[in-house]
Amino acid sequence: MIIADDYKFHARDPEDRTWTETLFIIFSVPECAISGNIYVLTRPNMGVCHSSIEIHQGMCFHPWQLHHNDSQMHLPCPEDFSNFSLPNGLTFHARNERELEYRYDSLDGVCSLELSYAAVCDPTDTNDPAQVPQAGASKVDGYDGWNNGHLEGKGRVTGTLRLRDKTYAVDCIEGVNKSWGPRNDWGNKGASWVHVELGEGLGAFFVVGIEFAGREVTYGPFKYGYVLVNGERRPLVSAELTAKRSDMLVTSALARFEDDQGQVYEARGTTVAAGPWYNFNPSSAGYQCLMRWESGDRVGHAHIADFFGQYYLSLNMADELYA
């Protein structure tokens, strides 16, 4: 079970240099094809943190096409991870486990964010078998950050984005997570973080592994997830994802998932905005895709975020040595 104090730093071995705690939120302005995120990774025993704020509009295949990409390393680690400000202009406050506040002002004044997050269901403790039947048997290969202490949340994100000379109202249902524990980032595997929204009263979240068939990306196995039906969170017993892509960016997807009551759901997604995210962690690459999900007459927007270890990509995608 997740409590408010889980947004603070957790008890740890002070000699463990690998102890890591992270924060992540995705947000969007679907009507303007805008997708963005805020990420903070801390190494409290080393006294440092890394923070990234990334925003893109439409299809961006290269990092120089992203519309805002502020990634700063070796910032001083905050004393309190539930209420802090960083020298890159980011401020965060967890009012409780369901209500979060984010403010960001870029150092050059080009971008600012004021975002409030209000959970639409209690955050999920991925190690609690009462919430995740697969707990203990759903390890995400190569990503210790998802296997130690970990919460997943879904909520309404509201506020304002100002980017360059334009201002946008933000009002979306998106995901947050926080992780804590020993974490030796190597980048030897991959996984996908999937949120599906289908209008008022129906949404889902799940994690699946990522494999390669030749140089083609495939998804699976299913790790864990839930569907939210009129406020009732139901654990998933299975989920499948297939996708078409251009380069590494998803352009369309089909999600199929089943809850613990035997109800099967299917949603088709078309990409509205997508971009590569190469600088949130030197060991990994992320490909963040805002989808327009449809199922019957239901329509909504949410993200697929594919995370690959850089090493894993090299093993499976690099050309053969020629000499």
Side-chain angles (χ1 to χ4, degrees):
M1 181 174 138
I2 298 299
I3 60 176
D5 280 354
D6 283 316
Y7 276 97
K8 297 180 179 292
F9 286 119
H10 291 73
R12 60 190 185 272
D13 175 359
E15 300 302 317
D16 185 356
R17 68 169 182 82
T18 72
W19 186 275
T20 304
E21 305 213 15
T22 68
L23 291 170
F24 178 54
I25 184 172
I26 275 183
F27 61 90
S28 64
V29 186
E31 62 272 23
C32 296
I34 288 175
S35 166
N37 66 59
I38 298 171
Y39 181 74
V40 182
L41 181 151
T42 64
R43 302 275 195 184
N45 288 342
M46 300 178 74
V48 296
C49 75
H50 167 68
S51 177
S52 170
I53 296 90
E54 186 274 317
I55 303 167
H56 55 272
Q57 184 177 51
M59 298 296 291
C60 299
F61 292 95
H62 306 287
W64 58 86
Q65 294 176 311
L66 303 176
H67 293 83
H68 189 72
N69 194 8
D70 180 4
S71 179
Q72 298 188 33
M73 297 186 68
H74 303 138
L75 300 170
C77 186
E79 293 293 324
D80 180 355
F81 206 24
S82 70
N83 190 1
F84 64 84
S85 295
L86 296 178
N88 67 340
L90 176 66
T91 295
F92 171 78
H93 183 203
R95 298 189 179 279
N96 52 57
E97 69 274 19
R98 295 179 60 110
E99 296 177 304
L100 312 175
E101 302 287 341
Y102 303 79
R103 175 187 284 271
Y104 166 71
D105 292 289
S106 67
L107 299 182
D108 60 4
V110 167
C111 180
S112 65
L113 282 163
E114 290 190 25
L115 299 178
S116 297
Y117 167 89
V120 295
C121 63
D122 287 338
T124 299
D125 181 345
T126 63
N127 292 302
D128 183 350
Q131 295 183 327
V132 179
Q134 302 86 359
S138 60
K139 300 299 185 185
V140 179
D141 296 339
Y143 278 95
D144 291 341
W146 284 349
N147 296 330
N148 298 315
H150 195 78
L151 74 82
E152 291 287 352
K154 182 186 282 286
R156 183 170 294 277
V157 183
T158 57
T160 303
L161 161 66
R162 182 183 58 79
L163 183 56
R164 301 179 185 176
D165 60 347
K166 299 184 184 298
T167 300
Y168 304 92
V170 177
D171 187 354
C172 57
I173 303 291
E174 288 292 357
V176 300
N177 68 33
K178 184 178 188 289
S179 68
W180 60 94
R183 176 170 165 177
N184 189 19
D185 292 317
W186 180 27
N188 61 317
K189 289 295 286 185
S192 189
W193 187 82
V194 183
H195 277 269
V196 177
E197 284 300 315
L198 291 167
E200 198 67 31
L202 185 59
F205 162 76
F206 59 87
V207 173
V208 287
I210 289 178
E211 303 289 343
F212 282 91
R215 291 185 176 180
E216 295 297 318
V217 176
T218 62
Y219 295 101
F222 166 67
K223 300 299 182 178
Y224 55 82
Y226 61 86
V227 62
L228 193 63
V229 182
N230 295 321
E232 177 191 1
R233 184 176 56 195
R234 303 176 185 173
L236 296 182
V237 298
S238 67
E240 300 173 359
L241 182 69
T242 57
K244 295 181 179 179
R245 64 189 69 238
S246 180
D247 288 339
M248 295 299 292
L249 300 179
V250 170
T251 54
S252 64
L254 175 65
R256 188 177 187 275
F257 42 96
E258 180 180 356
D259 68 25
D260 65 345
Q261 299 182 22
Q263 181 70 41
V264 177
Y265 309 83
E266 190 169 283
R268 294 187 178 275
T270 304
T271 302
V272 175
W277 190 27
Y278 293 141
N279 52 9
F280 72 99
N281 187 316
S283 71
S284 297
Y287 299 93
Q288 178 172 312
C289 303
L290 173 61
M291 311 300 295
R292 182 182 190 272
W293 292 105
E294 300 178 63
S295 182
D297 59 357
R298 285 183 166 272
V299 176
H301 294 84
H303 281 83
I304 294 173
D306 290 339
F307 294 101
F308 298 84
Q310 299 273 20
Y311 180 67
Y312 190 45
L313 284 174
S314 295
L315 285 176
N316 289 280
M317 300 292 284
D319 292 338
E320 295 294 328
L321 295 171
Y322 56 82

